[in-house]
């Protein structure tokens, strides 16, 4: 998630590890005791020795159609660390084991985030116009820094994240969620990916960063495209950076209470370029992970019997459902990359200085060593690697969780009878190096009138949580519900389309519930607090 930078080294640029580095000049045998696996007799050939041996690709049909199947083949063939080919058949290591990933991400002295160490940059194997260039091209930002530089830059990001009003953010999430639902609630059917999951995170992040006026479909599509290794990835990256550069210039002149301003004013003294790059890092990381997370949670809610039974029965909360999904279908399947500081060993493999390594998030989350039973509930367990680990662990993960569980909660309260409109096997996915994206999630539901979301959040719009339940579509039920349930604006007693008199957002069959008993009123108050009202 970077742009080309003048400091990018060429083939004759320096790439040696810094003097005094603990791993500098050490051999795999010398470092054997430092690796999590041990056992020098298990160490195999180097990546160079394997590069011409018909390695499996992390791109192309097999990787895109069934990445989890590919990971298990690699685990069976190579163990916890497997040699693979990236776009353009550039060799790298994919780390599959949970403990090996933890060791790699927690040991920057051996596995650096500084991509300038990558030998493929110096021998021309990974040229400046490589499809993955937006991800690996070095920039002076925290994601590519270690040590003191990383502490300074990440400190500016984490300090700014700490200033975000989470209660206020939940209000925006709830409001934007209802605004999106308003656009299709009369139809009785919708694609929850293109109409909801793809847009809610960008609407919220644009608000947090301080550029709600920049939110549009082009920004959404550019954010999705730039990390996929497509032919247009660099063009999409340029569009995003141009948008953020404009924002930084505005905030230097006219500060506001937003994330962009907090970065520009931070005592770390970030330059305009550093601020723009960190805004892009936060925006893309938060957007892509959250869009995928929302789609994955909704799919599981609509198709997985465990989720349906436990959510409907009150045995699982939406935050717990989000956490289970982070184990089973993490938003990022991999993160590229780490680069070996010196010759070392990991998972019984000889890693040479300058080798590239890929954090295998999805593979680590199903490592049989830590999850021998994949059907076992992971409630209350946050040991997954969905947000990576170590000093570079995602600092804004709680914002993503809040967008997902608050947004899905708002959607299900508005559409309590939502059902999948197709059989689960008909759902289509698109794979890329870092993620597996659900393309569509078509659903049906009883048509409903829109809510008024122009004013402050209204307490009367809250529907008691026990009323929503998720059911699987039955074969004997027509998937397209009747639209007769939608009252016209005249029937509703107003000439203004999209409004509901006296009980905004409450459908007729719910009006009798509004007075309710004391327990129901208490539950309603709790629901309002949860959504930040």
């Amino acid at each position: 998630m970077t742009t080309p930078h003048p400091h990018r080294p060429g083939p004759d640029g320096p790439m040696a590890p810094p003097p005094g580095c603990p791993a500098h000049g050490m051999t795999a045998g010398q470092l054997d005791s430092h690796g999590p696996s041990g056992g020098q007799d298990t160490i195999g050939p180097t990546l160079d020795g394997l590069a011409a041996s018909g390695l499996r690709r992390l791109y192309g049909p097999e990787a895109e159609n069934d990445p989890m199947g590919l990971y298990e083949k690699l685990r069976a063939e190579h163990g916890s660390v497997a040699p693979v080919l990236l776009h353009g058949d550039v060799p790298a290591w994919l780390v599959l084991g949970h403990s090996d990933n933890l060791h790699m991400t927690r040991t920057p002295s051996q596995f650096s985030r500084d991509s300038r160490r990558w030998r493929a940059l110096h021998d021309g194997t990974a040229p400046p116009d490589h499809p993955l260039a937006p991800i690996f091209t070095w920039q002076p930002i925290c994601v590519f820094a270690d040590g003191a530089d990383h502490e300074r830059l990440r400190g500016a990001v984490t300090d700014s994240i700490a200033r975000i009003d989470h209660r206020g953010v939940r209000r925006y999430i709830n409001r934007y969620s209802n605004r999106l639902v308003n656009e299709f609630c009369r139809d009785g059917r919708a694609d929850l990916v293109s109409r909801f999951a793809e847009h809610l995170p960008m609407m919220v992040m644009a608000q947090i960063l301080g550029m709600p006026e920049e939110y549009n479909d082009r920004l959404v599509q550019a954010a999705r495209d730039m990390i996929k290794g497509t032919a247009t990835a660099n063009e999409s990256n340029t569009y995003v950076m141009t948008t953020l550069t404009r924002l930084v210039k505005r905030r230097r002149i006219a500060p506001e209470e937003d994330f962009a301003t907090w970065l520009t004013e931070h005592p770390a003294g970030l330059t305009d370029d550093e601020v723009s790059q960190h805004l892009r890092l936060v925006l893309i990381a938060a957007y892509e992970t959250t869009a995928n997370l929302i789609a994955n949670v909704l799919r599981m809610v609509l198709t997985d019997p465990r989720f349906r039974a436990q959510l409907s029965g009150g045995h699982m909360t939406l935050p717990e459902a989000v956490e289970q999904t982070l184990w089973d279908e993490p938003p990022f399947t991999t993160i590229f990359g780490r680069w070996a500081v010196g010759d070392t060993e990991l998972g019984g493999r000889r890693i040479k200085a300058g080798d590239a390594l890929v954090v295998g998030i999805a593979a680590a989350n199903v490592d049989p060593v830590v999850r021998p039973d994949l059907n076992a509930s992971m409630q209350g367990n946050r040991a997954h690697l969905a947000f990576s680990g170590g000093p570079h662990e995602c600092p804004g993960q709680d914002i993503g969780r809040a967008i997902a569980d608050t947004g899905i909660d708002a959607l299900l309260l508005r559409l309590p009878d939502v059902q999948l409109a197709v059989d689960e096997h008909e759902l289509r996915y698109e794979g890329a190096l870092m993620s597996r994206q659900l393309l569509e999630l078509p659903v049906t539901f009883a048509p409903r009138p829109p809510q008024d979301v122009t004013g402050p959040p209204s307490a009367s719009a809250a529907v008691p949580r026990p009323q929503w339940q998720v059911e699987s579509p039955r074969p004997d039920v027509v998937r397209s519900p009747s639209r007769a349930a939608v009252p016209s604006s005249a029937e509703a007693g107003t000439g203004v389309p999209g409004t509901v008199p006296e009980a905004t957002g409450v459908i007729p069959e719910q009006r009798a519930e509004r007075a309710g008993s004391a327990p129901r009123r208490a539950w309603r108050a709790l629901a309002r607090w949860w959504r930040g009202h």
Side-chain angles (χ1 to χ4, degrees):
M1 293 179 291
T2 60
T3 48
H5 192 273
H7 294 133
R8 176 190 176 101
D12 56 347
M15 71 168 289
C21 171
H24 186 76
M26 298 180 72
T27 67
Q30 291 171 315
L31 284 167
D32 178 61
S33 61
H34 296 272
S37 302
Q40 184 175 354
D41 58 338
T42 64
I43 296 178
T46 65
L47 192 59
D48 290 339
L50 291 166
S53 307
L55 304 182
R56 294 187 184 273
R57 294 181 170 90
L58 280 189
Y59 68 99
E62 183 179 18
E64 294 169 5
N65 296 331
D66 185 17
M68 296 305 293
L70 174 61
Y71 302 152
E72 292 313 307
K73 289 178 182 177
L74 289 167
R75 199 192 308 270
E77 293 168 355
H78 301 283
S80 62
V81 178
V84 294
L85 297 174
L86 305 177
H87 293 69
D89 284 354
V90 181
W93 296 104
L94 173 63
V95 184
L96 303 161
H98 191 275
S99 63
D100 296 297
N101 272 289
L102 283 178
H103 177 76
M104 177 176 63
T105 57
R106 292 175 176 177
T107 317
S109 61
Q110 291 180 328
F111 304 101
S112 172
R113 283 291 281 144
D114 189 339
S115 63
R116 293 173 298 181
R117 298 178 182 274
W118 195 10
R119 285 183 290 119
L121 294 178
H122 301 271
D123 63 19
T125 307
D129 61 349
H130 190 277
L132 297 179
I135 301 173
F136 66 69
T137 304
W138 184 87
Q139 286 287 325
I141 59 176
C142 65
V143 75
F144 290 118
D146 296 308
D149 286 342
H150 176 257
E151 291 179 8
R152 179 182 78 88
L153 296 170
R154 185 178 170 98
V157 173
T158 54
D159 289 348
S160 299
I161 289 175
R163 297 180 64 176
I164 295 173
D165 176 10
H166 285 241
R167 185 178 176 88
V169 167
R170 286 192 183 272
R171 291 194 184 99
Y172 281 114
I173 299 168
N174 192 59
R175 182 179 301 177
Y176 290 148
S177 298
N178 282 293
R179 182 183 300 176
L180 290 169
V181 173
N182 277 353
E183 295 177 359
F184 57 77
C185 63
R186 288 184 179 273
D187 301 336
R189 58 172 57 247
D191 168 25
L192 294 184
V193 172
S194 64
R195 304 294 296 275
F196 190 81
E198 285 190 338
H199 290 274
L200 179 60
M202 186 60 75
M203 296 171 81
V204 176
M205 291 308 301
Q207 181 71 44
I208 290 175
L209 266 59
M211 55 175 202
E213 73 283 354
E214 297 281 7
Y215 163 76
N216 56 39
D217 287 344
R218 177 72 178 93
L219 188 61
V220 168
Q221 297 309 316
R224 302 229 79 164
D225 179 59
M226 59 180 286
I227 66 170
K228 292 182 178 179
T230 65
T232 56
N234 288 305
E235 179 184 345
S236 295
N237 182 66
T238 299
Y239 177 84
V240 171
M241 282 307 302
T242 300
T243 302
L244 295 174
T245 300
R246 287 199 304 265
L247 172 62
V248 174
K249 290 180 178 178
R250 291 199 303 270
R251 289 298 173 261
R252 290 289 190 190
I253 299 171
E256 298 283 351
E257 281 297 312
D258 54 41
F259 192 85
T261 299
W262 300 332
L263 276 183
T264 60
E265 296 179 344
H266 193 273
L270 273 63
T271 66
D272 283 5
D273 182 51
E274 288 175 329
V275 174
S276 299
Q277 294 292 346
H278 283 90
L279 288 175
R280 189 265 307 273
L281 173 66
V282 170
L283 175 66
I284 301 305
Y287 170 73
E288 180 68 16
T289 56
T290 310
N292 286 342
L293 180 58
I294 291 173
N296 291 343
V297 173
L298 284 171
R299 185 198 67 78
M300 285 187 144
V301 166
L302 293 169
T303 63
D304 192 316
R306 294 175 303 165
F307 278 60
R308 289 198 304 274
Q310 294 185 64
L311 282 169
S312 298
H315 301 295
M316 177 188 284
T317 65
L318 270 171
E320 289 170 339
V322 168
E323 218 61 40
Q324 181 72 45
T325 305
L326 289 170
W327 274 102
D328 295 341
E329 292 194 40
F332 278 158
T333 53
T334 65
I335 293 181
F336 181 66
R338 296 295 193 279
W339 289 271
V341 173
D343 291 354
T344 185
E345 179 269 336
L346 183 67
R349 292 293 179 178
R350 295 183 185 274
I351 312 296
K352 293 184 64 65
D355 278 1
L357 299 98
V358 180
V359 182
I361 292 174
N365 281 359
V366 297
D367 184 346
V369 175
V370 296
R371 287 188 72 185
D373 180 6
L374 295 181
N375 293 318
S377 172
M378 303 302 288
Q379 289 187 39
N381 189 333
R382 286 194 172 190
H384 56 72
L385 295 180
F387 299 105
S388 190
H392 289 276
E393 183 175 2
C394 175
Q397 56 188 270
D398 286 338
I399 294 295
R401 286 184 171 100
I403 296 173
D405 66 57
T406 306
I408 294 171
D409 182 59
L411 172 72
L412 294 178
L413 286 172
R414 289 286 301 278
L415 308 175
D417 58 343
V418 64
Q419 296 183 9
L420 191 63
V422 298
D423 291 332
E424 184 179 359
H425 72 270
E426 298 180 56
L427 297 176
R428 298 182 300 113
Y429 296 82
E430 181 179 69
L433 173 64
M434 294 178 63
S435 65
R436 183 172 184 253
Q437 176 189 344
L438 180 62
L439 295 178
E440 296 176 331
L441 189 63
V443 297
T444 59
F445 46 86
R448 288 167 171 79
Q451 284 187 359
D452 180 5
V453 295
T454 58
S458 171
S460 63
V463 179
R465 188 180 309 276
Q467 288 195 353
W468 71 256
Q469 60 183 3
V470 181
E471 299 178 353
S472 296
R474 299 192 305 273
D476 59 327
V477 177
V478 178
R479 296 192 187 278
S480 299
S482 169
R483 302 194 179 205
V486 182
S488 67
S489 57
E491 291 170 332
T494 176
V496 182
T499 62
V500 182
E502 75 178 54
T504 301
V506 182
I507 59 178
E509 59 266 33
Q510 294 166 344
R511 288 176 180 152
E513 300 282 341
R514 292 186 62 208
S517 61
R520 185 172 288 114
R521 289 196 300 272
W523 179 261
R524 199 176 287 126
L526 178 62
R528 291 198 300 272
W529 171 84
W530 172 254
R531 292 194 300 278
H533 293 357

